[in-house]
Amino acid sequence: MDSSSQKSETTSPQFAIDATGLTKRYGELLALNEVSVRVLQGEVFGIVGESGSGKSTLLRLLNLEETADSGSYRLNIEGVPTADLLTLDRMSRRDIQNRYLGIVYQHPHLGLRMHNTSSGNIASRLLIAGERRFEMLREAARTALTTSEFPLDRMDALPVELSGGMQQRVQLAKAIAMKPAVVLLDEPTSGLDVSVQARVLDTFRLLQQETHVTTILVSHDLGVIRALADRVIVMRHGAIVEAGLTDQILEDPQEPYTQQLVYAKL
């Protein structure tokens, strides 16, 4: 093998996520229509579109909460089977979800037990890994909450007693407690005050810079996408209408639909 081919191999991109032709129907509704995404290891990959565009459906499929009607989905992650994940049984998919994926939902009640303590929510995630020692669970919860910049003097507070921004920080701590290979963010700043949004975004940005965790970010807010995402896809009616580098898409959109989205925010 010559040096040029060696260089080509060593510098070729490493994909953490490779999903091809994902299609999903709910009755007569075609929610996803042959959607394909490839996400590089360590990048922040944005998904934008209006309500009903299919972006949240795509995120649920990538989180293995649901299965596609057709298509394939592979994770290039050590420990994960190389087979198409959509062909695995439900228990195997659940194990991969618990061990290698972390998610922050738009609505905290979807990701948290609101009447369990904040530290208890994180401990419940760690129990999946088999840890049963109280002090180890406690310390791991402290570490995760510190990383998400949550005040430790509130770690035993119930999420229902916390502000929306603090609830999102607990969700983030729970998502990263198992040191997942992929973190999925579903409209993580929606409904938060602008100042709180900025602090939560700073936390996400710092976490990604420190850990280089592969991140999927779903948002209708182009400001959030601009602040965090390296590349972005634009979705409409369950299909991808435009894809590229974030700056390229937001500064010089080519498709009329993308132009409408961008110019509506100006």
Side-chain angles (χ1 to χ4, degrees):
M1 180 182 296
D2 62 32
S3 59
S4 62
S5 61
Q6 278 187 324
K7 182 177 181 181
S8 176
E9 285 190 9
T10 56
T11 58
S12 61
Q14 296 295 312
F15 290 97
I17 293 173
D18 190 353
T20 303
L22 296 180
T23 298
K24 180 68 176 179
R25 289 184 179 275
Y26 298 103
E28 296 298 315
L29 174 64
L30 180 60
L32 286 183
N33 185 12
E34 297 188 358
V35 170
S36 299
V37 294
R38 302 184 80 189
V39 182
L40 290 165
Q41 293 181 358
E43 84 168 322
V44 180
F45 188 85
I47 305 173
V48 302
E50 296 175 307
S51 178
S53 63
K55 58 187 189 295
S56 292
T57 299
L58 176 57
L59 196 75
R60 288 196 297 271
L61 291 177
L62 296 179
N63 193 43
L64 296 174
E65 294 177 46
E66 299 187 35
T67 57
D69 298 324
S70 61
S72 65
Y73 176 26
R74 289 177 171 82
L75 292 174
N76 182 23
I77 296 169
E78 184 177 356
V80 176
T82 57
D84 178 5
L85 301 185
L86 301 182
T87 66
L88 301 181
D89 62 71
R90 184 175 180 180
M91 290 301 294
S92 297
R93 294 198 306 271
R94 177 63 63 85
D95 183 63
I96 292 169
Q97 180 191 47
N98 288 333
R99 293 181 179 277
Y100 301 102
L101 305 174
I103 189 166
V104 176
Y105 293 97
Q106 175 181 358
H107 303 293
H109 71 270
L110 296 176
L112 299 173
R113 295 180 178 178
M114 302 301 284
H115 294 280
N116 194 2
T117 64
S118 297
S119 59
N121 269 280
I122 298 164
S124 67
R125 176 88 173 166
L126 296 164
L127 285 167
I128 295 169
E131 181 59 65
R132 296 293 184 271
R133 294 168 293 176
F134 175 79
E135 190 50 45
M136 293 300 293
L137 290 170
R138 188 80 173 166
E139 183 57 32
R142 288 192 194 99
T143 299
L145 288 167
T146 298
T147 301
S148 71
E149 299 190 350
F150 184 88
L152 293 184
D153 60 350
R154 303 295 308 279
M155 68 183 291
D156 291 322
L158 305 179
V160 72
E161 300 170 343
L162 302 173
S163 67
M166 287 295 103
Q167 289 174 356
Q168 291 299 63
R169 291 180 189 276
V170 177
Q171 272 209 94
L172 180 60
K174 183 178 179 180
I176 65 175
M178 292 278 289
K179 296 181 172 58
V182 177
V183 170
L184 305 114
L185 307 175
D186 187 6
E187 301 278 7
T189 60
S190 179
L192 301 180
D193 292 340
V194 174
S195 60
V196 178
Q197 260 191 33
R199 290 195 294 272
V200 172
L201 284 176
D202 284 343
T203 301
F204 290 146
R205 187 184 297 109
L206 182 61
L207 172 68
Q208 212 283 328
Q209 289 173 349
E210 291 179 347
T211 65
H212 303 290
V213 62
T214 303
T215 305
I216 309 291
L217 170 63
V218 167
S219 182
H220 70 280
D221 189 329
L222 298 184
V224 172
I225 293 294
R226 186 188 295 273
L228 295 179
D230 301 305
R231 290 191 297 139
V232 63
I233 59 173
V234 181
M235 297 190 65
R236 186 185 191 194
H237 300 328
I240 297 173
V241 297
E242 192 163 358
L245 297 174
T246 300
D247 288 345
Q248 168 196 328
I249 296 296
L250 297 186
E251 295 296 333
D252 187 24
Q254 300 300 302
E255 294 297 321
Y257 175 71
T258 310
Q259 292 170 359
Q260 290 175 15
L261 286 182
V262 172
Y263 299 150
K265 300 295 181 181
L266 297 180

